[in-house]
Amino acid sequence: MKKVLIIDDEADLRKLLTDYFEINEYSVMTAKDGKEALRQIENQPDIVLLDINMPELDGLEVCKKVRHFVSCPILFLTSRVENADKILGFQAGGDDYILKPFSILELGARVEAHLRREMRNQNKTSIKFNDDLVIDYSARALFFRDVQIPLAKKEFDIVELLSTHPAMVFDKERIYEKVWGFDDEGDSAVVAEHIRRIRFKLKEHGCENMIETVWGVGYKWRKS
């Protein structure tokens, strides 16, 4: 049985989501604030639904504190809609945004999609060599000259997508759809920020030009 952790200071919403996920055979844990959330994280949920606007310790701070210790998907629940807010959330380690008010059926579908993707990732056992760059898909790790390049979850997802299709050019919308799981117009800035961060980390470790820009079209992975 999959475990979902619901973190929100609205009691009515926690009750609604608890009822929905229990009916759909999830084991449900809840927390009403950030401090309680940190205690519940110790129970190793398979996915986290995290409200951003909470008193004392908000969702972004909670995400930053736990991201290095949990690998499960973290989905933000928020009424914020600006691209700048989304970028802050992804930089904190979030995997997706669910905008309030939301359809509970769409929320359920997104949760299932993220869990299916996690299962597929766990089943990967292949490694790709590109000159001095090594991508270990099973460990979800990137190495250059035997030194690991630290990547956030979505950053590695983008590297995985591009590197497993080196002959293909992906536009920003297609990358968002493939990596985040849903088509959402207006999120090109989020993809561009992730690409920028990946390139910066690669360059910082002496590895450059792995992600090529095809002007007016999108991005592709450089062949070895």
Side-chain angles (χ1 to χ4, degrees):
M1 182 179 289
K2 292 296 184 182
K3 295 186 290 186
V4 56
L5 172 57
I6 301 165
I7 307 166
D8 199 294
D9 61 348
E10 297 180 39
D12 290 344
L13 183 57
R14 291 199 307 273
K15 178 65 166 58
L16 173 66
L17 295 180
T18 296
D19 290 346
Y20 172 81
F21 283 106
E22 286 183 343
I23 288 173
N24 285 277
E25 301 183 341
Y26 286 80
S27 174
V28 180
M29 300 173 284
T30 64
K32 64 180 182 298
D33 56 41
K35 292 183 178 179
E36 188 176 349
L38 295 179
R39 293 192 293 270
Q40 288 283 30
I41 287 286
E42 296 176 0
N43 295 315
Q44 300 182 333
D46 296 298
I47 193 164
V48 176
L49 303 180
L50 176 57
D51 181 29
I52 286 184
N53 299 313
M54 293 187 296
E56 296 185 23
L57 194 64
D58 68 19
L60 292 176
E61 290 302 315
V62 171
C63 189
K64 290 177 183 177
K65 286 179 177 292
V66 307
R67 182 75 283 180
H68 292 298
F69 304 100
V70 298
S71 59
C72 72
I74 297 176
L75 281 61
F76 284 121
L77 306 177
T78 181
S79 57
R80 298 179 181 176
V81 296
E82 297 296 328
N83 276 337
D85 293 315
K86 290 187 176 184
I87 290 172
L88 287 175
F90 291 130
Q91 288 176 337
D95 297 295
D96 201 356
Y97 263 82
I98 309 296
L99 299 181
K100 296 180 179 180
F102 51 77
S103 160
I104 196 165
L105 295 179
E106 179 184 349
L107 173 62
R110 286 190 181 230
V111 167
E112 290 177 4
H114 279 281
L115 290 174
R116 284 196 303 270
R117 192 171 299 110
E118 287 297 297
M119 186 62 66
R120 288 197 297 269
N121 288 337
Q122 291 172 8
N123 292 332
K124 291 181 183 294
T125 57
S126 59
I127 294 177
K128 184 181 185 68
F129 295 89
N130 198 313
D131 296 330
D132 291 326
L133 188 73
V134 180
I135 308 171
D136 185 339
Y137 296 108
S138 56
R140 294 179 60 78
L142 186 68
F143 300 87
F144 184 68
R145 295 176 181 169
D146 298 324
V147 177
Q148 184 171 356
I149 300 174
L151 294 180
K153 176 177 168 46
K154 288 303 181 188
E155 292 169 357
F156 186 87
D157 288 343
I158 292 173
V159 167
E160 180 179 32
L161 172 66
L162 297 180
S163 63
T164 53
H165 302 84
M168 293 180 62
V169 179
F170 290 85
D171 62 27
K172 294 171 184 174
E173 290 73 20
R174 185 65 168 163
I175 292 173
Y176 188 89
E177 180 182 355
K178 285 289 187 180
V179 171
W180 277 267
F182 289 84
D183 187 13
D184 190 349
E185 294 182 5
D187 284 291
S188 60
V190 171
V191 173
E193 171 64 16
H194 278 68
I195 294 288
R196 184 195 68 79
R197 291 171 65 85
I198 295 167
R199 284 172 164 165
F200 175 81
K201 291 179 180 181
L202 289 170
K203 184 177 181 180
E204 194 175 37
H205 286 77
C207 179
E208 298 187 55
N209 304 320
M210 293 308 303
I211 299 178
E212 299 180 3
T213 298
V214 180
W215 295 106
V217 182
Y219 304 100
K220 70 174 182 177
W221 190 258
R222 193 193 80 196
K223 291 185 179 181
S224 58

